[in-house]
Amino acid sequence: MRILVCGAGGQVGHELVDRAAAFGLDVLGPTRAQLDVSKPEQIAALMRQRPELIINAAAYTHVDNAETHAEQAYAVNLDGARNLAEAAAHAGIPLLHISTDYVFSGDASAPYRETDGTGPTGVYGASKLAGEEAIRACLESHLILRTSWVYGVHGHNFVKTMLRLGRQRDALGVVSDQFGCPTQAGRIASVLLTLASRYARDGRLDWGLYHYSGSPSCSWYDFAVEIFRQGEAMGLLARQPQVSPILTAQYPTPARRPAWSVLDCSRFETTFGLPPQPWQDDLSEVLAALGGQVSPQITPGQLSRA
């Protein structure tokens, strides 16, 4: 089956393109320079190659810049999502779409379920939520996958930032009062490709809205400490810097981050038999790849329940 991967140059998109063949899928993988999802005519040109399923990994993800570039954020996250859903509806094919924990306010104390009320605190989350709503309005055969704290080998992310700072500084402070679930980009890609290959086999999926992330939850501080611990053990750092926990108020940003970004993934696991995986193990694979030791490749057999 041929799939169209939008946003192929991003963290998850890159992994989708790299891993598709292992799942028996033929992939069209245009980058942002080759496909601007906010332009329907560019989507229409690619649809002439007759993909049988679309995976949308294209997004405006710069949370802080979105506050002052709302038009750009909505062009990609809302208009782009709508354009792809309309193109899928016209072609009679499904759309798998990646969304975010930022659709929630972050004021909860229990993991967010798909049925919980949303309340984004910034432009990024609001634009992604609007994209979800646009997809639901015009395409029945869709699957929206909300995830959180994405990191990986490609692109800019927290893990690579921490490694850079760990090499430059002897000490640093990391926010300890924001909680979420780090999720490896390659893991997200492999999960989506598993669903795509099941659709190719069965001609159907249980469509709808789902949550999927790494496990368990932690703070940014906890995440950083583990990055440095593993980084030193693998020789990516000469020594671990001293890490101090700080409060969000001590590290102001243009956009307010949710204090609680923990997602309940039980619906996804029950429906598809794909449980969340320990983020510490997935982190090890990414660090090994960044160190040139091994390329992380999560195969179809590694995704099902033991």
Side-chain angles (χ1 to χ4, degrees):
M1 186 178 75
R2 172 173 289 183
I3 64 172
L4 170 60
V5 173
C6 305
Q11 288 194 85
V12 178
H14 201 295
E15 297 288 353
L16 285 164
V17 172
D18 284 353
R19 296 163 189 252
F23 290 80
L25 300 166
D26 179 29
V27 63
L28 299 168
T31 63
R32 169 68 171 80
Q34 297 166 322
L35 172 62
D36 181 346
V37 293
S38 70
K39 299 185 183 302
E41 66 277 10
Q42 293 188 15
I43 296 172
L46 278 165
M47 295 300 289
R48 296 190 190 105
Q49 299 190 49
R50 300 189 180 278
E52 297 167 78
L53 178 145
I54 300 171
I55 301 180
N56 183 28
Y60 186 102
T61 58
H62 200 304
V63 177
D64 288 328
N65 281 359
E67 295 300 305
T68 52
H69 295 79
E71 184 176 346
Q72 295 177 28
Y74 274 93
V76 178
N77 297 342
L78 168 57
D79 299 340
R82 181 193 294 115
N83 293 339
L84 290 170
E86 289 177 347
H90 180 74
I93 65 174
L95 170 67
L96 310 185
H97 175 79
I98 301 170
S99 193
T100 174
D101 55 297
Y102 276 57
V103 301
F104 295 111
S105 66
D107 296 331
S109 56
Y112 282 110
R113 297 183 177 183
E114 292 85 350
T115 53
D116 288 335
T118 53
T121 60
V123 171
Y124 168 66
S127 64
K128 289 294 288 183
L129 180 60
E132 290 185 10
E133 294 167 346
I135 291 169
R136 282 193 288 269
C138 63
L139 180 66
E140 181 179 353
S141 55
H142 70 267
L143 189 146
I144 297 169
L145 192 71
R146 290 178 182 154
T147 190
S148 69
W149 290 21
V150 180
Y151 69 93
V153 177
H154 309 284
H156 301 288
N157 56 67
F158 184 78
V159 171
K160 293 168 84 170
T161 297
M162 287 301 102
L163 289 175
R164 175 175 55 80
L165 294 177
R167 295 182 184 112
Q168 295 173 349
R169 303 182 187 178
D170 295 324
L172 69 157
V174 180
V175 171
S176 62
D177 59 350
Q178 294 177 21
F179 297 87
C181 299
T183 313
Q184 192 208 109
R187 178 70 62 181
I188 299 168
S190 290
V191 162
L192 289 171
L193 291 168
T194 295
L195 298 181
S197 63
R198 290 183 186 179
Y199 175 76
R201 180 192 67 199
D202 302 332
R204 63 172 299 278
L205 279 176
D206 289 312
W207 307 117
L209 173 65
Y210 296 93
H211 291 171
Y212 185 83
S213 65
S215 180
S217 62
C218 66
S219 69
W220 289 114
Y221 167 81
D222 299 326
F223 192 17
V225 168
E226 182 66 9
I227 293 166
F228 294 138
R229 186 191 71 79
Q230 291 194 25
E232 182 188 38
M234 292 186 183
L236 297 176
L237 297 171
R239 78 293 177 264
Q240 298 181 49
Q242 180 181 344
V243 189
S244 302
I246 63 172
L247 301 178
T248 298
Q250 296 173 263
Y251 187 73
T253 56
R256 178 188 161 198
R257 267 68 172 170
W260 182 260
S261 288
V262 182
L263 300 176
D264 183 329
C265 303
S266 57
R267 179 171 185 251
F268 186 83
E269 180 178 357
T270 299
T271 303
F272 299 111
L274 302 173
Q277 297 299 306
W279 61 262
Q280 296 92 335
D281 294 345
D282 280 354
L283 172 64
S284 296
E285 292 187 343
V286 167
L287 292 176
L290 291 173
Q293 300 172 30
V294 46
S295 177
Q297 287 292 329
I298 301 165
T299 63
Q302 291 176 276
L303 287 165
S304 12
R305 279 199 188 93

